[in-house]
Amino acid sequence: MFELADPWVLLALPLPLLVARLLNPQPVSGRALLVPDHIGGAMLQAGRAQDGARRIPLRQMLLWLIWALTLVALSGPRDLEPVSALKVSGRDLAIALDLSGSMVRDDFYLDDRQITRLEAVTTVGADFARRRGGDRVALIVFGSEAYFATPFTFDVEAVARRIEEASIGISGRATNISDGLGLALKRMADSEAASRVVILLSDGVNNAGATNPRGVAELAAAMDVRVHTIALGPKDLDSAQAGERGVVDATTLRAIAQVSGGESFRVKTTDDLVAVAEALDRLEATDSDGLAAEIYRDYWPWPAALAVVLGCLALWREAA
């Protein structure tokens, strides 16, 4: 819908006429130059009179156009553009991603191509983050230590890019599940979101840090934070042989989810990982209505530019 941001500015349109009447300018008196008729004085005076009669109305018209266009530009012509409402879920969602050394194992397949666990997680995880429009999403990465990779933000594209850029070693090569979950809860302590959720993905066994993961899960339950856990890897502690490396503690991750009121998922293939992402989308839906933003397209540069062009034309005529 077209409108003027400040329509009252147009009330100044007759201002030059009012100023002219109030000032009441007097004709300038002075000596006149007399030109004898025999050298063409009469013709010269007639030519000047005709030139003046021709130029003055055009000059006045240009000045009035410049004044009117300037006022139109100052009044702020604009148009309200239709913008779809941002779906706001009222949810804070933290993704806690395991970047321990075991994530380099290449025991996953994507499009008939053998890939590492990290490649599988970053591919599916980034796509999952991009579908969280309306949530405030944060990314925590953990290995031996836990770090905030991105703060809570509605910019899910930025979170997805950070997931795609994740690399092994930035947080150490051990697996500190307790600190990863604990850091997410710490950042959620002051959150006023109606719903607070942590998605915890790990492919190993908690072997760093002084805190028991189940104890951190109890803290999450006390804070009313749901923790959904994803146990990643072809083998877990229950099915692996004694001393086998690269196995995941699915039992502990399942207990974390149960204590906090979340869901636990077991992922052995890339297809499983995709199915988990879709299941989480259903569990934590983002289809609530949001508030539409009012976005305006401004048109003031057009009358302003035309006023500048006419001003240059008026100056050129005066100088000619």
Side-chain angles (χ1 to χ4, degrees):
M1 180 180 65
F2 184 82
E3 64 178 26
L4 298 177
D6 300 303
W8 55 267
V9 174
L10 298 180
L11 295 175
L13 186 62
L15 186 60
L17 288 176
L18 297 176
V19 172
R21 284 185 173 275
L22 291 175
L23 293 180
N24 191 22
Q26 298 295 327
V28 179
S29 61
R31 296 180 179 273
L33 177 63
L34 299 177
V35 180
D37 289 341
H38 66 276
I39 62 173
M43 294 179 61
L44 179 61
Q45 290 179 359
R48 287 182 175 176
Q50 291 176 2
D51 184 65
R54 200 169 48 243
R55 287 193 177 189
I56 290 177
L58 180 59
R59 177 175 179 271
Q60 289 178 346
M61 184 176 66
L62 283 175
L63 292 177
W64 273 108
L65 278 175
I66 293 169
W67 176 246
L69 288 170
T70 302
L71 292 182
V72 170
L74 291 175
S75 68
R78 62 186 184 178
D79 192 15
L80 181 62
E81 293 186 344
V83 178
S84 58
L86 173 66
K87 301 294 185 180
V88 179
S89 67
R91 179 188 300 110
D92 280 356
L93 187 148
I95 301 174
L97 181 60
D98 186 349
L99 292 184
S100 59
S102 56
M103 291 289 284
V104 299
R105 293 180 176 272
D106 54 352
D107 48 12
F108 273 70
Y109 288 86
L110 181 63
D111 298 329
D112 297 326
R113 180 174 59 91
Q114 191 169 6
I115 60 174
T116 65
R117 298 179 181 182
L118 178 63
E119 289 179 280
V121 168
T122 54
T123 300
V124 178
D127 181 65
F128 170 76
R130 289 187 172 97
R131 296 200 302 268
R132 304 313 302 173
D135 289 348
R136 283 206 322 156
V137 183
L139 176 64
I140 298 100
V141 297
F142 66 92
S144 304
E145 306 289 341
Y147 299 96
F148 239 85
T150 60
F152 282 103
T153 176
F154 286 109
D155 188 356
V156 294
E157 178 61 31
V159 178
R161 288 197 300 267
R162 291 304 299 269
I163 293 176
E164 292 171 337
E165 295 167 358
S167 60
I168 304 298
I170 188 173
S171 55
R173 302 185 71 85
T175 303
N176 192 344
I177 296 175
S178 300
D179 280 8
L181 178 56
L183 182 58
L185 296 179
K186 182 178 180 180
R187 291 302 180 97
M188 286 182 166
D190 298 327
S191 171
E192 298 180 357
S195 176
R196 294 175 294 175
V197 178
V198 177
I199 296 176
L200 173 65
L201 184 146
S202 178
D203 75 329
V205 179
N206 188 74
N207 54 18
T211 309
N212 188 308
R214 295 175 187 246
V216 183
E218 293 173 357
L219 175 61
M223 294 175 59
D224 196 24
V225 176
R226 292 189 305 280
V227 183
H228 302 303
T229 60
I230 302 173
L232 179 74
K235 294 185 178 182
D236 54 41
L237 286 178
D238 296 334
S239 61
Q241 297 179 359
E244 188 172 353
R245 305 184 65 181
V247 298
V248 61
D249 188 357
T251 301
T252 297
L253 292 174
R254 190 181 308 113
I256 292 173
Q258 290 174 348
V259 169
S260 64
E263 296 287 336
S264 62
F265 301 92
R266 184 72 178 88
V267 173
K268 297 182 180 181
T269 66
T270 307
D271 291 338
D272 291 343
L273 192 57
V274 173
V276 167
E278 294 174 351
L280 288 171
D281 278 337
R282 292 191 295 271
L283 285 172
E284 306 294 344
T286 59
D287 56 355
S288 58
D289 291 333
L291 298 177
E294 291 188 347
I295 305 298
Y296 290 96
R297 174 179 293 178
D298 293 320
Y299 295 108
W300 66 264
W302 298 103
L306 185 55
V308 171
V309 171
L310 292 179
C312 294
L313 178 61
L315 290 175
W316 174 77
R317 286 187 58 85
E318 290 292 329

